[in-house]
Amino acid sequence: MIERTFSIIKPDATRRNLTGEINSVIEAAGFRIVAQKRIKITLEQAKTFYAVHSSRPFYGELCEFLSSDPVIVQILEKENAIEDYRTLMGATNPADAAEGTIRHRFALSVGQNSVHGSDAAETAASEIKFFFSDIEIIE
Ligand code: CMP
């Protein structure tokens, strides 16, 4: 089934000018980037986006990091996109990420791990809606 997932190229990656390189990896893996924009997320938006992690000790650091510099938010389309993008990203902690994955190649640490990807269909739908309006998404 053709699916869409939501992705963020995080500040540690945009700071190092890795947007194009990461997009090449994404496209080479068969994803179509169907929507994409460069934005600066506010601290409040980051807190809402990561609300599910609000009880974690790293929540403050996580939200400050996501809002520290511009990010690329994107919608990726492919058969089985949600699961396949999580595989392509690799484990959350780059130390555990498989060779060839985005996080193994580019991430700096568990916090500065270069990319985010939705973990389930409902999350993908809500995360896409959080960052994109209907007119920005071409069917
Ligand atoms: P992401 O997939 O964007 O979703 C939640 C984020 O929390 C995760 O990526 C990590 O970057 C971050 N995270 C998870 N564990 C830690 C940790 N121990 N310290 C800092 N950040 C973390």
Side-chain angles (χ1 to χ4, degrees), residues 10 50 53 58 61-62 92 103 110-111 113 116:
K10 296 187 184 184
Y50 277 137
H53 298 298
F58 55 82
E61 181 193 326
L62 174 64
T92 305
R103 285 168 172 162
V110 67
N113 63 355
H116 166 86

Side-chain angles (χ1 to χ4, degrees), residues 10-11 14-15 39-41 64-71:
K10 296 187 184 184
T14 61
R15 251 179 235 141
I39 59 169
K40 184 131 188 299
I41 294 177
E64 270 165 35
F65 169 62
L66 194 71
S67 56
S68 65
D69 259 319
V71 299

Side-chain angles (χ1 to χ4, degrees), residues 3 25 39 76-77 100:
E3 249 179 10
V25 174
I39 59 169
L76 310 180
E77 187 176 87

